[in-house]
Structure formats: C-alpha cells, structure tokens
Amino acid sequence: MVVVGSPRGRGGLTGLSDVRHLAMQIIMGRWFMVFACFLIMAAAGATYMFGLYSGEIKKSLGYDQSTLNLLSFFKDLGANVGVLSGLINEVTPPWVVLSMGAVLNFFGYFMIWLAVTKRIAKPQVWQMCLYICIGANSQAFANTGALVTCVKNFPESRGAVLGILKGYVGLSGAIITQLFYAVYYKDTKALILFIGWLPAAISCVFLRTIRIMKVIRQPNELKVFYNFLYISLGLATFLMIMIIIEKHFNGFTRPEYGLRCWCPLLALPATRHRRHRGIQTMGTEERSPKRPVPNRDQHRDAEPGNVPPSATTSPRRQDPLLRS
C-alpha cells in the first residue's frame, strides 16, 4: 500500500499542493464518508427529545395537556412519513436530500423557538402543529440521504451498516442532550434552537462528502465496521455511566459537561477513521494488486546446470517418461 506523502510514495510532503492533495484524498474518501454519516445520524434524533422542551411550550403558550398531545401526534406523523424523501432521493443526488432536510429542520424548530421566546405573535395551534411536523419530517430526509447512500456504497456489509447507523440514531437523544448542557447549560428554551441549527449545520458541512461512490470490495471491510460497532457500544456505555453519575450528584457544572462531552464523542470515531485513512480513496489498491516477489532461490535453481534436490531425491516428482 502506497500512501501519498510516504517515503515510498511521491517523495514526502514537499509543498502546500501535496498537503492539499492529501487532505482532499482523506475528505473525499470512503471511510470519511462513513464518519460523516455517523455524525449526521447522531444528530438526527430530535424527535426523541420532545419531553425535554414540551414543558416550555406548554408554559409559554398556555397550552393544556390535550393540545400538547396533539403537537406530539403531529411530531410523530412528520417523523414517520418518509415517502417524500425517498421519492426525491430516487431522482436527485444525496446532497439535494440533505439540503432539503437541513432547511426543513431549521425552519420548523426555529419557528417553534420564536414562538416560545415570544419573538413573534402567538401562533395558532394548527400553525404549531405544522411547524413541528415540518421539523420532525427533516429526520426522514437525514436518514434517507445518509443511510441509503452509505448502504449503496457498502452493499456487501449493508447489515452492519444499517445496524450501526440506526444505533447512532438511538444514541442521538443522549448525545444531543449532553452537548446541549455543554453549550447552553440548562436553558431549556435554547434547546429548541439547538436542535434546530445543529443537525442543519452538520448536514451542510458534509454535503460534498456524502455521495454515491464506486463500489470496491475490501477484504477488511466488515472488520472495520465491527470496530465501529465496538466504539458505538463503548460510547453507549460511557453515556449511561455519565447519566447515572449525573443523577447521583444532582448534575454537573458547565465546564464539567464540556469536558466530558467533546473529547469522547468526537475523538473516538475520528481515531478509527485516522487508522484507515491510508486506504486509497479511489480504490487504487484493488485495481492494481501487488505483484508477487520472485524468490531468489527459485532463480538460482532455474539456472542451467543446477538441478533441484527434489529431482534426484524424490522419484515421485520425476516425469514418468524419464523413469521408464
């Protein structure tokens, strides 16, 4: 395997052009695309956090419990209607689906945040139902753009891909909550704004990264996804332990939330990607297999006058005509 920048490659990183080429090779690679899908799915679970900010909606807008249940119904309706995103994904590239999901997510939750903070006139109930339905429906666009694309790029390992990505969706509620405490601490109204701009920003950052790529089967592909699975299990265990400790000590301070969130949540997947970034982005390894190195002893035995020992000591390997 030859990596750009290695002594056996093109002479090392001799200039800015080499650094730029290496960076683009990493960013546009297959495994960085998987890492980007993990981040998008880890931020696509805002619908699981309705219980954290529903109290602010009820108190700020003066809703009763039946109205709150109606909002919850439209939230679930938007989250489970994914036909539109699927149809759009059939005729457009993934970046279009992710862009639409980012716009819908930001618009829906941003309008709810404006209503809760009384920056706009109190909306009607049907308007709030429409806002939360639009915001929740953006999750279907994120799932389609990231999950379907990743499965198409790794069809031989689609079972592992589906399991890991859906696992990050399940962890997304806990991940976003811990990040929210690190950024906004306990301002519950700001949580609505946070789940509005964070998933949209992540989707916009990785618009060019997530795309359909040429399928290249790698021998260690499934092993890499198993390693990602182990990291996901470790992350889930870490979050569970931190939540238990938080409940036992009645919460942490804001710097403690920041210290325990940013390092584990972002460093662990990046570590796995860094280990496998040497794999050629366009699959040059698979297209040009290594040639077998000839054995020096074989060349010596093939010279005239040199008879291999097996030809004299093992009559079973001699030619039948010679033995006769």
Side-chain angles (χ1 to χ4, degrees):
M1 177 176 64
V2 178
V3 182
V4 177
S6 62
R8 296 167 55 189
R10 302 195 311 182
L13 297 178
T14 58
L16 184 60
S17 60
D18 292 330
V19 177
R20 186 182 299 110
H21 178 75
L22 177 61
M24 290 303 299
Q25 191 177 29
I26 294 174
I27 293 175
M28 304 304 290
R30 289 158 53 86
W31 295 111
F32 191 82
M33 187 274 301
V34 176
F35 173 65
C37 290
F38 288 164
L39 291 184
I40 290 179
M41 301 302 286
T47 55
Y48 304 125
M49 306 173 63
F50 181 74
L52 294 178
Y53 59 87
S54 59
E56 287 293 337
I57 296 178
K58 183 178 180 180
K59 181 175 61 176
S60 300
L61 301 179
Y63 291 163
D64 54 8
Q65 188 60 40
S66 61
T67 306
L68 203 62
N69 293 339
L70 182 63
L71 289 178
S72 179
F73 167 77
F74 278 94
K75 181 261 300 180
D76 294 334
L77 179 65
N80 290 280
V81 177
V83 177
L84 181 61
S85 61
L87 294 177
I88 295 176
N89 188 69
E90 289 294 324
V91 296
T92 60
W95 68 267
V96 176
V97 179
L98 293 175
S99 300
M100 295 182 63
V103 172
L104 293 176
N105 185 88
F106 182 77
F107 173 78
Y109 289 107
F110 184 69
M111 294 302 297
I112 295 175
W113 177 76
L114 291 178
V116 170
T117 55
K118 301 186 184 304
R119 285 176 166 82
I120 58 175
K122 181 180 177 180
Q124 300 293 326
V125 175
W126 69 268
Q127 292 176 317
M128 288 293 295
C129 292
L130 179 63
Y131 296 154
I132 200 168
C133 184
I134 291 175
N137 189 245
S138 65
Q139 178 178 337
F141 284 82
N143 287 340
T144 304
L147 190 145
V148 174
T149 305
C150 199
V151 169
K152 288 183 178 180
N153 290 336
F154 296 91
E156 299 294 332
S157 304
R158 55 185 176 273
V161 171
L162 286 172
I164 297 174
L165 289 177
K166 297 305 290 184
Y168 272 100
V169 175
L171 292 175
S172 60
I175 293 174
I176 295 177
T177 301
Q178 302 305 315
L179 293 177
F180 160 72
Y181 285 141
V183 177
Y184 294 102
Y185 200 40
K186 295 184 178 181
D187 186 4
T188 311
K189 292 182 179 179
L191 175 61
I192 305 175
L193 179 63
F194 186 64
I195 61 180
W197 70 261
L198 179 64
I202 294 176
S203 297
C204 292
V205 167
F206 296 111
L207 285 180
R208 291 191 60 189
T209 303
I210 299 178
R211 67 200 188 281
I212 302 296
M213 305 175 68
K214 182 179 179 180
V215 177
I216 300 175
R217 176 64 176 175
Q218 297 173 354
N220 65 335
E221 181 178 291
L222 189 59
K223 181 179 179 181
V224 175
F225 283 112
Y226 282 155
N227 291 331
F228 279 126
L229 176 61
Y230 301 148
I231 291 175
S232 304
L233 295 177
L235 178 60
T237 304
F238 172 79
L239 290 173
M240 181 185 67
I241 294 175
M242 289 296 102
I243 292 174
I244 293 175
I245 295 176
E246 177 187 357
K247 296 299 181 181
H248 181 73
F249 291 99
N250 296 324
F252 295 115
T253 62
R254 186 172 182 175
E256 290 174 343
Y257 278 116
L259 180 63
R260 77 176 192 170
C261 289
W262 293 105
C263 294
L265 298 183
L266 300 181
L268 287 178
T271 302
R272 293 306 309 169
H273 165 68
R274 183 179 179 182
R275 180 177 177 181
H276 298 282
R277 69 180 180 179
I279 299 176
Q280 292 291 338
T281 306
M282 301 306 294
T284 55
E285 285 184 297
E286 291 76 8
R287 291 197 300 267
S288 58
K290 296 181 180 179
R291 296 180 179 177
V293 179
N295 192 350
R296 188 175 300 175
D297 296 334
Q298 294 178 357
H299 285 284
R300 187 178 65 252
D301 295 339
E303 294 178 357
N306 292 335
V307 181
S310 59
T312 58
T313 60
S314 179
R316 290 177 299 178
R317 297 186 180 181
Q318 296 180 359
D319 190 90
L321 296 178
L322 295 177
R323 286 187 299 183
S324 61

